[in-house]
Amino acid sequence: MRTVLFLVVFTLLVGALMAGLMRTDPGYVLVYVGEFAIEMSFWTTLILVFLAISMCSGLVVFARWLMTLSHIGRWWKNRRRHGDQRRMLEGLHAYSLGVWDRAAQQLIDANDASFAPGLNLQFAARAQAFNGDLDRAKTTLKQLKLAHPDSIPAADRLLADLLLHARQNVEAEQVLWELHGNAPTDGEILVMLVEACVRNNSRAKSGDLLAALGTATNITSASKQELQQSLCHSQLSQFVDHLAEGRDTRDALNERWDSIPRRFRKVPEMVAIYARGLASLGCVEEAKGVLIKALSKHWHSALIEQFGAIQHPVFEQDLVRAEKWLVKRPTDVDLLIALGRICRGLKFNIKASDYLQQAADLHSHPLALCELAELKAVMGDVTASAALYRRGLQMALSNSKKGPAS
């Protein structure tokens, strides 16, 4: 600013001097430019030349000042960008620590200056959902889809994941079927879709899902088999539950069992469900035979649990067989519970109580405690029964808190 003021004052002084010189008229200079002739005094010409040089110098100084202003603008812009980057880093740090409300706010505030604004909003939406505000997370994802149309598939995929996490399985399945329609071979979508269908007990399109899993990409063969097994397990379990309601027959059960791929029919959990279906149709001996054959090949808790669950009818030979198993596996809690159930079915209440007490002493299994509590009530020991029910309930609640959230 001082330079500009100096130039103004200097120009005024030179102008005054020029006016004085023009009155004295010491001589003149004639300049021809094309058809025009310009006549002026020598001193005037000298002053004009000097003024022209001064104006050029002033323009240079002014240009440099403007460049300084642009530097200030860039500095201010960089300062804002650095501030937004700092907020983004703070938001990601809060996200890693599980401080969901702060993470969501910081990530949204830093979104405009982020090099990946769509990713910022996705993290923010997940933080909002984890903070218990799923509606706000949905709003954030809608903003993401409006601002970045190319992020619509990613936003819908994230929405489905958040809905599954919040146990809103019906809405999650609807979103995932739409995503599957647009990307039928995407393995990540199929993984979530299988989970949603299993939770919702959806049977209508299970066959389509099994076929789609065969052509799925970006998942391993082991994962494909696991998902197929999960679907088959869900289908068979639902079918057997309907058998208990008298909706189907033995032929229908066998047809359903035969439709399951052979490799899955050897899985213990699947065999246990099939045996449960046979027992519900009254084919108790056949169900026990299936379980005994499977146990001879592969000892599994699901098989022995189902063997003990078949109560009508129960024969002493079942007790003899289970006690022979116990000789080789004296600390098997599932076997002890099964023996307790078998003894109770035979009205051997004291023996049943001994087996169930052993199971409870080996491992505070909620099922063992509840079975023993029920037996104690039948035997008239109401006080012990109430204490065991309370202990079993506390154990079940403790196990549910230790389990992973899903």
Side-chain angles (χ1 to χ4, degrees), residues 95-114:
Y95 186 95
S96 68
L97 296 177
V99 187
W100 306 123
D101 52 347
R102 178 173 174 78
Q105 190 60 51
Q106 293 286 72
L107 289 168
I108 290 176
D109 290 345
N111 182 63
D112 292 338
S114 173

Side-chain angles (χ1 to χ4, degrees), residues 38-75:
I38 301 174
E39 181 181 345
M40 65 188 76
S41 68
F42 173 77
W43 291 108
T44 301
T45 304
L46 188 63
I47 291 171
L48 287 177
V49 171
F50 182 77
L51 283 176
I53 295 173
S54 299
M55 289 180 63
C56 289
S57 300
L59 288 174
V60 170
V61 172
F62 184 69
R64 287 179 178 176
W65 181 67
L66 288 178
M67 289 177 66
T68 303
L69 288 181
S70 67
H71 284 308
I72 293 174
R74 284 199 298 271
W75 171 81

Side-chain angles (χ1 to χ4, degrees), residues 3 10 117 134 180:
T3 304
F10 181 75
L134 184 59
H180 175 64

Side-chain angles (χ1 to χ4, degrees), residues 24-289:
T24 59
D25 193 19
Y28 68 90
V29 175
L30 184 63
V31 179
Y32 282 96
V33 179
E35 296 180 356
F36 299 94
I38 301 174
E39 181 181 345
M40 65 188 76
S41 68
F42 173 77
W43 291 108
T44 301
T45 304
L46 188 63
I47 291 171
L48 287 177
V49 171
F50 182 77
L51 283 176
I53 295 173
S54 299
M55 289 180 63
C56 289
S57 300
L59 288 174
V60 170
V61 172
F62 184 69
R64 287 179 178 176
W65 181 67
L66 288 178
M67 289 177 66
T68 303
L69 288 181
S70 67
H71 284 308
I72 293 174
R74 284 199 298 271
W75 171 81
W76 179 252
K77 191 174 182 180
N78 289 336
R79 185 175 181 275
R80 289 189 58 187
R81 184 183 296 111
H82 291 155
D84 290 334
Q85 290 176 351
R86 177 176 47 77
R87 280 192 290 272
M88 184 177 69
L89 291 175
E90 289 176 356
L92 291 174
H93 181 64
Y95 186 95
S96 68
L97 296 177
V99 187
W100 306 123
D101 52 347
R102 178 173 174 78
Q105 190 60 51
Q106 293 286 72
L107 289 168
I108 290 176
D109 290 345
N111 182 63
D112 292 338
S114 173
F115 66 91
L119 197 59
N120 260 46
L121 290 178
Q122 289 181 52
F123 273 106
R126 189 177 287 276
Q128 290 166 343
F130 287 172
N131 198 39
D133 196 348
L134 184 59
D135 291 335
R136 191 176 168 198
K138 290 180 180 179
T139 301
T140 300
L141 290 176
K142 287 180 181 177
Q143 294 174 354
L144 170 61
K145 291 193 284 187
L146 289 173
H148 306 280
D150 56 330
S151 298
I152 290 177
D156 287 339
R157 188 175 305 198
L158 176 56
L159 174 61
D161 186 47
L162 296 178
L163 289 169
L164 285 174
H165 187 272
R167 294 286 174 177
Q168 296 188 15
N169 302 317
V170 175
E171 187 178 353
E173 185 179 348
Q174 293 173 350
V175 174
L176 286 166
W177 275 118
E178 293 180 6
L179 285 170
H180 175 64
N182 296 327
T185 61
D186 191 308
E188 294 178 358
I189 294 174
L190 285 169
V191 169
M192 291 190 288
L193 185 53
V194 168
E195 182 179 355
C197 289
V198 169
R199 289 186 185 182
N200 292 329
N201 295 328
S202 302
R203 300 175 62 186
K205 297 184 178 180
S206 296
D208 296 339
L209 270 182
L210 283 172
L213 284 169
T215 60
T217 57
N218 63 345
I219 55 173
T220 64
S221 299
S223 297
K224 288 181 185 180
Q225 288 199 12
E226 185 179 349
L227 291 170
Q228 289 171 336
Q229 179 180 324
S230 178
L231 270 177
C232 291
H233 184 282
S234 176
Q235 291 175 359
L236 185 62
S237 181
Q238 294 168 43
F239 190 83
V240 169
D241 290 341
H242 292 159
L243 282 177
E245 301 171 6
R247 297 182 182 178
D248 290 286
T249 64
R250 167 66 185 280
D251 291 338
L253 175 61
N254 286 339
E255 183 179 350
R256 172 67 63 171
W257 179 248
D258 292 337
S259 69
I260 295 173
R262 184 180 297 274
R263 64 181 181 278
F264 297 142
R265 279 183 272 165
K266 298 178 182 179
V267 176
E269 291 90 349
M270 302 287 285
V271 176
I273 296 174
Y274 176 58
R276 176 162 63 90
L278 289 172
S280 68
L281 290 173
C283 307
V284 176
E285 289 305 309
E286 186 176 351
K288 291 178 181 178

